[in-house]
């Protein structure tokens, strides 16, 4: 432990890890990690404990902020050198998790900054939903190709990205087949012939 600057380390890492209290500066040259107690972080006020690594030419800042006022945890990264870490993931005090958002509404939310997708149980504990909270479509893909979508207006398209009816199917030989599950070969088919 170096008494001059509160740094400590083991082996060849002596002096490269620092402990600070009420310190607003970021890790300096030669430091690889800093644990700080302060009133703010890259997320905002009321985050008293930060685990923060040095940002520099070799990589961007990374940070874990433990919230005192909210009891939440935020993980922040940045790939650019000498840049402030940006929050990428949040675990809220009530268990909600957000990726790309620091204010998830449902139990699990993923956002690109515009679209917010969620997996969330109903408040009545009678089921769950998978979908968007924002005004965007839900797409289903296989082999990286869209096969079906539910539009933001509630219409469903299979092989079609702009369905004009409640259900619209577009295919080379489109058809619907209903078949009894007893093996009796009873079935109903509706298809289009050209």
């Amino acid at each position: 432990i170096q008494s001059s600057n509160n740094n400590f380390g083991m082996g060849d890492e002596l002096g490269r890890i620092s402990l600070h209290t009420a310190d607003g500066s970021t890790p300096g040259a030669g430091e690889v990690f800093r644990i700080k107690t302060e009133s703010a972080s890259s997320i905002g006020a009321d985050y008293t404990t930060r685990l923060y690594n040095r940002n520099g030419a070799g990589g961007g800042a990374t940070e874990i902020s433990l919230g005192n006022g909210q009891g939440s945890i935020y993980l922040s990264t940045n790939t650019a050198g000498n840049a402030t870490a940006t929050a990428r993931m949040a675990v809220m005090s009530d268990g909600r998790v957000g990726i790309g958002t620091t204010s998830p509404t449902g139990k699990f939310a993923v956002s690109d900054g515009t679209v917010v997708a969620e997996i969330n149980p109903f408040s009545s504990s009678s089921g769950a939903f998978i979908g968007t909270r924002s005004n965007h479509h839900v797409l289903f893909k296989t082999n990286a190709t869209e096969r079906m979508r539910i539009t933001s207006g509630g219409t469903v398209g299979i092989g079609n990205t702009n369905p004009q009816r409640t259900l619209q199917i577009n295919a080379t030989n489109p058809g619907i087949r209903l078949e009894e599950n007893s093996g009796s070969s009873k079935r109903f088919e509706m298809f289009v012939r050209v």
Side-chain angles (χ1 to χ4, degrees):
I1 298 176
Q2 293 180 334
S3 59
S4 60
N5 56 14
N6 294 326
N7 287 11
F8 70 96
M10 291 183 293
D12 293 337
E13 299 301 314
L14 182 62
R16 301 191 64 175
I17 301 174
S18 63
L19 290 173
H20 286 262
T21 300
D23 181 281
S25 62
T26 58
E31 291 181 82
V32 293
F33 200 69
R34 178 173 288 189
I35 301 172
K36 306 198 313 183
T37 299
E38 58 184 0
S39 60
S41 74
S42 63
I43 306 298
D46 295 329
Y47 295 86
T48 58
T49 305
R50 295 176 67 190
L51 287 73
Y52 193 80
N53 85 323
R54 180 173 67 87
N55 51 14
T62 57
E63 175 183 321
I64 301 174
S65 297
L66 309 176
N68 181 31
Q70 297 181 1
S72 304
I73 300 172
Y74 295 88
L75 306 179
S76 305
T77 65
N78 200 309
T79 56
N82 299 310
T84 300
T86 300
R88 309 298 184 183
M89 181 176 176
V91 182
M92 312 310 289
S93 59
D94 61 0
R96 289 174 291 125
V97 176
I99 297 177
T101 175
T102 58
S103 55
T105 305
K107 282 295 183 183
F108 180 69
V110 180
S111 177
D112 65 355
T114 302
V115 181
V116 179
E118 284 188 357
I119 299 175
N120 193 32
F122 293 132
S123 58
S124 61
S125 300
S126 61
F129 80 81
I130 300 174
T132 61
R133 187 168 295 273
S134 52
N135 187 27
H136 294 89
H137 313 310
V138 175
L139 312 182
F140 297 87
K141 292 185 176 185
T142 62
N143 198 24
T145 301
E146 180 181 336
R147 309 299 183 182
M148 184 176 81
R149 75 167 49 194
I150 303 173
T151 69
S152 59
T155 56
V156 178
I158 299 176
N160 184 288
T161 60
N162 187 28
Q164 301 301 303
R165 297 290 185 266
T166 303
L167 172 63
Q168 181 172 338
I169 301 174
N170 287 54
T172 303
N173 295 298
I176 298 175
R177 178 170 176 165
L178 306 176
E179 186 167 344
E180 189 179 18
N181 199 27
S182 64
S184 63
S185 73
K186 294 178 181 179
R187 62 179 178 266
F188 168 79
E189 291 186 84
M190 181 173 62
F191 53 88
V192 176
R193 287 194 182 277
V194 294

